[in-house]
Amino acid sequence: MLWLRRPCRSLPQHHVLSRRFYSTKKPHDPSKLRNMALVAHIDSGKTTLTESILYKSSYLAESGTVDTGSTTTDFLPVERERGITVQSASIPVQWKDWKFNLIDTPGHADFGMEVESASRVVDGAVVLIDSVEGVEAQTRGVWTQLNRYGVSTKLIFLNKIDRPGASFKTAMSSILLNRLHPQPLPLVLPIASFRPSAYQHAEPGIQGLVDLVRWKLWRWDEGQPSMEALPQTADALHSTFEPNHPLPLHLVAARTQFLDNLSMHSEELLDTLLGLPSSPDAYLGVKDTQILPHLRQASLQNSIMPVVCGSALHHIGTELVLDYAGELFASPLDVPHDPQNPNSPLRLLAWKVNWDPRRGWMTFVRVYSGTLTRQSKLLNTNRNQKEVISKLMLLYASEFREVDELPFGSVGVIIGLKHTRTGDTLVSTGTPASARSVLRDITPPPAVISASVIPQSHVDLEPVQNALESLARTDPSVRIDIQEGQVLVHGLGALHLEIVEGRLRNEWNVNFEFGKRRVSYREGLGPGVPKQGWDTWNADVGSGKRISVNVPLIIRPLEDEEEGNPVWDGNKVLDDKGNALPAPESIPVGPLSYVAQGIASALSASPHSSLAMTHVYIQVPKQALSKEVTPSILTGASAGVVRQFFRSAGSGPIMEPFINLKVTVPESHLGKVIRDLTEHGGEVLELGSGSSTITENEVTGGFSEEGVYIPPLWLTPSATNAALKSANSRIKRAVHGLAPLSQFLDYSQRLRALSEGNGTFEMFTAGFKGVSEARRLEILREIGRA
């Protein structure tokens, strides 16, 4: 969700800009630029890691915390009150020779649009995983979003490794189990303690890290790190640790397996290793300069998935995250791009739009070609509208700094654009038509819940409608429509709508009431055979004139194995060559865009139930692209023939949104929670502890562990079986279920009663699923269609 940036109040003392970087003019070097996002499941520590990065890079004199509401990127009142991130925030960070455009994103699924827009413009992502919980539902969700936009390089950070129950082994296994990547490759190992007794007594904690790439030892003494080179012989390695410490015996094998696994992706490195002496500790002498080029190449090719670990709260591992993000992440030159020279054509993508009462419309852009200056004259190729730049700014969370230009690869803000929306492509006005290609759009997640917006009086109607239009421009995941004279706002979840309601009241100051929240249902294609002539549209055009337009589309339901396109709300719309069509506004002006607009209009409302249609296959053959009729008639004809097909096919199956639900409660309340879940149409998928413990049988469903380094369980001693067994009384039970969203809109109150206030839950969208005939009749009665 995109938010109004209020005039900035005085920041806490720790919010001090680093003069070392921000007052120094450096030549722009795109090879040293890293556009990077932090993404994760909620409460995995993204904002805490962001604060740690800002502190370690000298942006801050002291880091803030989520608990005290003093973080830099969570600066909105609602974020500080709730302790969650609801919008993405961007900060340029200098670390050694690299410049990072760092984007902190929300973890809650209700604000998935923020992850979508950030994923579209970054070239690398740090994916945080809670070392106690392992891969969770939204971890898989954000991973899918990154893959959808082709984010070329990723780094996994196993956070909270110092917590009781944290396990490096089970977190690694969960990466394979959830099929994130078949070749996760740990670059560092944790040292729980430098005292051997901590391993014997299964104490949680982290006091150091071993860097397997650079073969160095990091120590943290009350938060202050020190670093030393490790010996290159096994005997000398033991002298680095106290007697009887278990780690030295394992380190030689760990580095050997690390290099062997990496060499499977580099013949040159393999030749280097084959040329080493046959002594057991020969691999300890391999220099990092011999390793890093091959590690970078394997990362760029997505052959391996680098893994580091640490504790963001205690700033442990932050330097290594920055080092390896700089070494391994793609620069703008490493991804497909136009050849860059002083005369390169200007092309940029608007990835976010916001409104500020002092500055007006603010458009967040990434420059994909050329250099943007304040004198640049822009053309929005999606809307064929000219735009005028007022100012160019760099964003530092809630602070702005005016600049003269944004060079190739940069992320910045333009003030003054009037027509541009999220996902639009901007080029120079002088760019030839043949070079005005549209960059890939940003796809809003499908809305699953809605509420009516009722102005308090007739006078309030226009202000409410204007506020809704502005809100939808800043947040494309908010959809507004009118059904039977009622204004409906659609969102991604109950929390999303709650925040939308607050924004309308507090930011736009309009007077309205929200009606009862209800989920957004969908209808599928009916089973009937369309009647002859369905693809011909007849209409009166005035003055007694009647026209007839033939639009011979290919329409059918999606097969079971076919996936719908999120751009088309779960439908599949193709051109004559079988290529997926982008959103209608992203198609260059012409017959195809007019037909696409008509198809989108028809899909938005079923003639039987007024619900949006889903799981429909539509292909547009060449003969449907008539150039002999006006755009409005071709759009109307396309919408008309699709609706005629839907009417002929009859009423189709009704689908409703389902959620993946995770409920964590004490053992004594487990039975009540399971009974409530099944009584409200849900099903139990899995029972487990509150930790991420994974059995060997569970792991077999994911990628194989063969050829992957999985560290021993004792490496994080508090996760050993003995420790978990002794803590069993404190570990809550987790219920993983699948349930209809409509039955769980008020679940927080229900769970509080079921668990006597001791339960917590998380829910994530699981897509739309067909319902039984009895439930279908209930839904039709609910929406007034039965």
Side-chain angles (χ1 to χ4, degrees):
M1 180 178 292
L2 306 178
W3 287 87
L4 170 71
R5 298 186 184 275
R6 299 181 180 279
C8 190
R9 299 172 293 177
S10 297
L11 292 173
Q13 183 61 41
H14 68 271
H15 291 76
V16 180
L17 294 182
S18 166
R19 303 303 173 190
R20 177 177 61 81
F21 166 53
Y22 294 100
S23 62
T24 302
K25 189 77 173 176
K26 295 188 175 182
H28 178 68
D29 182 359
S31 69
K32 294 297 184 181
L33 181 61
R34 304 289 184 266
N35 291 312
M36 177 178 87
L38 302 184
V39 299
H41 184 93
I42 191 171
D43 288 336
S44 295
K46 296 178 303 301
T47 300
T48 303
L49 179 59
T50 301
E51 284 293 303
S52 183
I53 287 173
L54 297 179
Y55 171 65
K56 288 296 183 180
S57 64
S58 301
Y59 181 96
L60 300 179
E62 179 185 345
S63 63
T65 65
V66 173
D67 292 339
T68 60
S70 56
T71 59
T72 308
T73 52
D74 283 356
F75 55 84
L76 293 172
V78 67
E79 294 177 312
R80 293 184 170 174
E81 289 166 9
R82 295 174 178 264
I84 61 172
T85 303
V86 299
Q87 67 161 6
S88 60
S90 173
I91 295 183
V93 172
Q94 187 75 30
W95 178 254
K96 298 182 178 178
D97 290 336
W98 299 295
K99 177 183 174 183
F100 295 97
N101 284 320
L102 180 67
I103 302 177
D104 177 27
T105 66
H108 201 291
D110 280 22
F111 311 110
M113 183 62 205
E114 292 289 293
V115 184
E116 288 281 341
S117 58
S119 299
R120 175 62 186 84
V121 294
V122 298
D123 303 317
V126 176
V127 181
L128 286 84
I129 294 177
D130 185 323
S131 297
V132 177
E133 301 295 339
V135 173
E136 299 177 85
Q138 192 60 11
T139 316
R140 296 189 295 269
V142 297
W143 195 273
T144 300
Q145 288 173 299
L146 293 171
N147 288 340
R148 182 186 306 141
Y149 292 104
V151 176
S152 54
T153 42
K154 306 183 191 76
L155 172 75
I156 290 177
F157 179 59
L158 302 181
N159 193 24
K160 305 183 182 181
I161 202 76
D162 54 329
R163 284 181 57 197
S167 173
F168 198 123
K169 174 183 170 64
T170 54
M172 283 288 293
S173 295
S174 75
I175 294 170
L176 295 168
L177 170 65
N178 289 276
R179 303 183 70 83
L180 297 192
H181 199 281
Q183 290 292 314
L185 185 66
L187 308 185
V188 302
L189 295 182
I191 303 171
S193 174
F194 286 97
R195 295 180 297 106
S197 60
Y199 291 84
Q200 297 167 5
H201 300 138
E203 295 178 14
I206 182 168
Q207 292 184 357
L209 293 171
V210 174
D211 185 342
L212 295 175
V213 181
R214 294 189 168 93
W215 198 233
K216 290 183 177 179
L217 174 68
W218 288 76
R219 297 175 186 264
W220 275 267
D221 182 14
E222 296 183 358
Q224 296 303 317
S226 62
M227 182 180 63
E228 61 189 89
L230 284 168
Q232 296 182 11
T233 64
D235 291 339
L237 195 58
H238 286 272
S239 64
T240 308
F241 295 83
E242 289 186 18
N244 301 319
H245 198 288
L247 198 58
L249 288 171
H250 181 71
L251 286 181
V252 176
R255 198 184 203 220
T256 299
Q257 191 163 359
F258 161 71
L259 288 173
D260 280 342
N261 288 351
L262 181 59
S263 69
M264 294 298 100
H265 308 283
S266 170
E267 290 187 8
E268 185 179 339
L269 179 60
L270 180 60
D271 290 341
T272 299
L273 299 181
L274 291 175
L276 295 174
S278 58
S279 61
D281 49 14
Y283 279 30
L284 305 189
V286 181
K287 304 293 186 186
D288 60 339
T289 53
Q290 298 173 280
I291 301 171
L292 282 169
H294 310 291
L295 185 61
R296 175 172 174 76
Q297 191 59 33
S299 298
L300 290 173
Q301 294 173 346
N302 198 32
S303 302
I304 55 99
M305 183 52 56
V307 180
V308 298
C309 65
S311 171
L313 183 63
H314 297 105
H315 309 299
I316 297 176
T318 305
E319 293 97 337
L320 291 163
V321 169
L322 288 168
D323 280 349
Y324 285 117
E327 294 283 4
L328 307 181
F329 279 4
S331 76
L333 296 174
D334 294 314
V335 297
H337 64 281
D338 295 332
Q340 294 302 299
N341 57 59
N343 299 317
S344 294
L346 181 62
R347 184 176 293 108
L348 43 146
L349 179 77
W351 62 278
K352 184 171 173 175
V353 177
N354 209 352
W355 169 258
D356 183 277
R358 291 187 303 150
R359 298 182 177 93
W361 286 108
M362 304 189 304
T363 306
F364 295 70
V365 298
R366 171 171 170 176
V367 181
Y368 278 92
S369 180
T371 298
L372 177 67
T373 68
R374 283 186 291 183
Q375 291 73 40
S376 300
K377 305 298 182 184
L378 298 178
L379 173 70
N380 185 320
T381 59
N382 296 77
R383 307 182 190 283
N384 199 30
Q385 293 271 6
K386 291 183 179 180
E387 294 277 26
V388 177
I389 297 172
S390 174
K391 293 180 181 178
L392 297 180
M393 322 269 302
L394 285 182
L395 174 66
Y396 303 90
S398 59
E399 296 275 357
F400 291 85
R401 195 186 91 191
E402 192 169 350
V403 294
D404 295 325
E405 64 178 33
L406 294 175
F408 167 63
S410 297
V411 172
V413 177
I414 304 176
I415 306 294
L417 305 190
K418 296 181 178 180
H419 309 287
T420 300
R421 291 175 175 262
T422 299
D424 286 356
T425 299
L426 297 156
V427 300
S428 297
T429 52
T431 303
S434 59
R436 294 178 186 174
S437 59
V438 174
L439 293 166
R440 181 176 175 181
D441 202 352
I442 299 171
T443 306
V448 298
I449 189 171
S450 63
S452 57
V453 182
I454 307 164
Q456 289 186 351
S457 68
H458 182 73
V459 176
D460 295 314
L461 177 60
E462 187 175 352
V464 167
Q465 289 178 333
N466 291 338
L468 287 170
E469 288 175 6
S470 296
L471 180 64
R473 182 177 174 186
T474 64
D475 182 0
S477 63
V478 173
R479 186 166 61 84
I480 313 296
D481 69 7
I482 298 176
Q483 293 183 11
E484 299 175 349
Q486 191 175 43
V487 179
L488 295 180
V489 57
H490 304 264
L492 304 184
L495 178 59
H496 190 192
L497 283 190
E498 188 178 327
I499 300 298
V500 165
E501 182 178 7
R503 290 191 67 196
L504 289 171
R505 295 191 193 283
N506 301 328
E507 297 174 16
W508 277 276
N509 299 312
V510 290
N511 301 313
F512 67 96
E513 296 297 331
F514 248 30
K516 182 180 178 181
R517 289 165 173 77
R518 72 182 193 191
V519 301
S520 300
Y521 303 107
R522 300 286 190 274
E523 182 181 332
L525 196 58
V529 178
K531 64 183 180 182
Q532 193 78 19
W534 67 267
D535 56 356
T536 299
W537 183 69
N538 300 296
D540 293 318
V541 292
S543 304
K545 227 177 142 182
R546 190 168 178 79
I547 64 165
S548 179
V549 181
N550 182 249
V551 189
L553 303 173
I554 300 169
I555 307 177
R556 61 171 174 79
L558 284 181
E559 303 291 344
D560 291 340
E561 68 277 3
E562 288 182 298
E563 287 190 10
N565 187 340
V567 173
W568 290 90
D569 200 9
N571 300 293
K572 192 171 185 178
V573 184
L574 311 176
D575 63 15
D576 62 301
K577 296 183 177 65
N579 300 315
L581 284 182
E585 59 269 19
S586 298
I587 302 173
V589 175
L592 184 59
S593 68
Y594 307 143
V595 172
Q597 289 170 29
I599 293 172
S601 175
L603 289 171
S604 67
S606 160
H608 310 289
S609 63
S610 79
L611 299 175
M613 299 291 293
T614 191
H615 288 63
V616 179
Y617 174 103
I618 300 179
Q619 187 167 11
V620 184
K622 272 191 177 178
Q623 53 267 39
L625 305 176
S626 173
K627 296 181 180 179
E628 299 175 0
V629 295
T630 63
S632 60
I633 290 178
L634 186 54
T635 298
S638 302
V641 300
V642 174
R643 291 193 183 101
Q644 287 170 183
F645 188 100
F646 291 164
R647 286 193 192 93
S648 296
S651 181
I654 301 296
M655 302 180 188
E656 69 173 313
F658 274 63
I659 53 168
N660 285 314
L661 184 69
K662 178 186 176 183
V663 188
T664 306
V665 291
E667 181 85 35
S668 57
H669 301 291
L670 188 64
K672 295 182 197 174
V673 168
I674 292 175
R675 191 180 312 113
D676 177 81
L677 177 64
T678 55
E679 286 176 353
H680 287 83
E683 59 176 304
V684 176
L685 301 179
E686 180 187 356
L687 292 177
S689 70
S691 71
S692 62
T693 303
I694 297 172
T695 67
E696 288 185 11
N697 290 334
E698 289 174 320
V699 174
T700 58
F703 289 127
S704 170
E705 291 189 3
E706 185 177 354
V708 177
Y709 168 70
I710 303 292
L713 194 62
W714 59 259
L715 193 68
T716 39
S718 74
T720 59
N721 293 330
L724 290 175
K725 187 174 181 181
S726 67
N728 244 355
S729 60
R730 302 193 306 272
I731 294 179
K732 295 182 177 181
R733 297 297 301 276
V735 181
H736 298 266
L738 180 70
L741 173 62
S742 59
Q743 301 298 306
F744 287 81
L745 294 177
D746 60 348
Y747 190 58
S748 58
Q749 298 175 2
R750 215 160 70 223
L751 180 61
R752 192 177 299 118
L754 291 168
S755 64
E756 299 178 359
N758 294 310
T760 59
F761 75 97
E762 299 169 2
M763 58 174 65
F764 303 93
T765 301
F768 287 84
K769 301 185 184 298
V771 300
S772 65
E773 184 59 27
R775 176 65 181 141
R776 180 178 184 277
L777 291 174
E778 285 180 14
I779 292 172
L780 290 175
R781 279 196 292 269
E782 179 185 332
I783 62 176
R785 292 285 176 165

